[in-house]
Amino acid sequence: MKIGLALSGGGVRGMSHIGAMKALIENGIRPDLVAGASAGAIVAGLYGYGYEPEEIETIIKNNVFRIIDIDYLQMICTLLNLRQIKTRGLSGLIKGQRLEKILRYYTDNIKIKNTKIPVAISATRVQNGDSFYFVSDRSSLTDETKIKYVDDISLCDAIRASISFPALFQPKDILYQGEIVSLMDGGVVDNIPIRVLQKMGADVVIGINLGYNGRMDRDIDSFIEIGEQAIAIMSYMITKKEYSCRERSIYIYNPEIWDISLLELSAIDECIEKGYEAMKKHIIPIKQKLRI
């Protein structure tokens, strides 16, 4: 039986996936395939490369305060030209170049098709909302009208594309079929990449959803939080519709980490611990799902 693990986005909360994977592996459940969107793409990609959860934790902690490279120049230019803001080049507050460099170093700039463990990473085309899935093996996958599968890309570029949260991280440009394509956060269209894992051969998929679940949140007031909430609500509605009927081969749960904001970098340890404890509560039903 092949076990797939789908990791949603959620900003810093995405680091809870590290704790969840620790709990899974401690209980004899090791994912055979892994997929991720946004922050989940970082954990999924590093696991696919071959790192154990403890090693991913070390990489994240050693580099987390080095990843923010704000595009001050474009911010100033935009503020000085507010009347022409639509035509100016500020596509996101954070350039993402530092994060990309770090990812390139830790993944040796390998192609995604050369990962040790099959991986799928979602991204969304800015121009028309097409879903792009960067996958280790696309032999069983066929492009559709709004869905594209790509394996000829570096693992670090795939992750960088998936984490491009709108207005926060600048989109990632890639060359696709001779055309420059701009990509943003994978969570915009598919925040829990489950179907792609099924198409890649997973018999059972565990989905960890860090997003909105219909609750009331009265503390949202900054433009980043409002943007995050908008994406979360969209993802919630898409996920609810896609997985409205319970499927025997899918187990989705939400760790319910509501008290940590998108960029609360100091909360990584707390997120990992909460992810670990949340997964432990779901181990029994997951084992029942797996019949082990």
Side-chain angles (χ1 to χ4, degrees):
M1 174 183 289
K2 289 187 177 181
I3 302 169
L5 179 64
L7 308 176
S8 83
V12 170
R13 294 191 298 273
M15 298 305 99
S16 66
H17 294 318
I18 298 171
M21 294 185 74
K22 286 182 181 181
L24 277 176
I25 293 171
E26 283 180 7
N27 284 274
I29 303 171
R30 180 174 285 275
D32 301 294
L33 308 89
V34 63
S38 199
I42 297 176
V43 179
L46 291 175
Y47 180 74
Y49 176 80
Y51 291 112
E52 291 295 310
E54 292 79 8
E55 294 174 307
I56 298 173
E57 179 178 355
T58 298
I59 291 170
I60 297 298
K61 288 182 178 180
N62 286 347
N63 294 281
V64 66
F65 293 105
R66 299 169 50 214
I67 65 173
I68 305 299
D69 49 351
I70 296 175
D71 196 342
Y72 290 109
L73 177 60
Q74 285 296 342
M75 286 177 63
I76 294 170
C77 290
T78 298
L79 290 172
L80 293 174
N81 294 276
L82 286 177
R83 292 183 180 180
Q84 302 179 44
I85 190 169
K86 180 173 171 46
T87 62
R88 297 295 166 177
L90 185 64
S91 57
L93 298 179
I94 300 173
K95 291 183 282 188
Q97 294 172 357
R98 288 184 185 176
L99 176 58
E100 191 170 327
K101 183 177 180 180
I102 291 167
L103 290 170
R104 196 174 305 280
Y105 173 79
Y106 283 101
T107 60
D108 292 327
N109 202 31
I110 66 166
K111 294 282 189 179
I112 196 168
K113 58 188 173 184
N114 294 325
T115 56
K116 293 181 181 178
I117 296 166
V119 63
I121 291 171
S122 66
T124 307
R125 186 173 182 177
V126 172
Q127 291 88 349
N128 63 358
D130 282 356
S131 291
F132 272 68
Y133 292 96
F134 303 109
V135 296
S136 298
D137 182 5
R138 59 160 298 161
S139 60
S140 61
L141 304 169
T142 303
D143 285 353
E144 301 173 32
T145 302
K146 298 291 290 182
I147 300 176
K148 314 299 178 188
Y149 299 102
V150 179
D151 61 3
D152 188 21
I153 189 173
S154 68
L155 178 60
C156 69
D157 283 346
I159 298 171
R160 170 64 181 83
S162 187
I163 60 95
S164 301
F165 189 86
L168 187 59
F169 275 91
Q170 294 176 1
K172 173 65 178 176
D173 291 340
I174 68 166
L175 183 64
Y176 174 72
Q177 296 183 347
E179 179 184 4
I180 298 296
V181 172
S182 292
L183 297 169
M184 60 182 171
D185 199 299
V188 173
V189 174
D190 191 357
N191 198 38
I192 315 177
I194 290 175
R195 295 296 182 212
V196 66
L197 288 176
Q198 292 177 318
K199 292 176 181 179
M200 290 171 66
D203 299 300
V204 175
V205 178
I206 303 164
I208 304 178
N209 179 16
L210 291 167
Y212 177 79
N213 72 340
R215 71 195 184 283
M216 175 65 73
D217 190 341
R218 302 183 187 279
D219 296 325
I220 297 172
D221 53 12
S222 74
F223 81 95
I224 291 178
E225 290 175 338
I226 292 170
E228 178 191 9
Q229 183 76 341
I231 298 297
I233 291 172
M234 286 190 294
S235 298
Y236 168 71
M237 298 305 294
I238 293 170
T239 302
K240 184 178 179 181
K241 181 178 179 180
E242 177 71 17
Y243 305 108
S244 57
C245 298
R246 287 198 170 272
E247 299 179 41
R248 296 183 63 182
S249 62
I250 298 174
Y251 185 92
I252 303 175
Y253 77 92
N254 194 315
E256 300 186 1
I257 305 173
W258 313 128
D259 56 343
I260 295 172
S261 63
L262 184 71
L263 291 176
E264 196 173 337
L265 301 180
S266 60
I268 287 179
D269 284 327
E270 182 182 353
C271 286
I272 293 172
E273 181 61 26
K274 287 186 173 182
Y276 178 81
E277 294 299 328
M279 177 59 82
K280 286 203 304 184
K281 295 177 182 177
H282 291 269
I283 287 295
I284 292 177
I286 287 173
K287 284 189 173 183
Q288 290 173 344
K289 178 77 69 173
L290 299 173
R291 295 192 179 93
I292 60 175

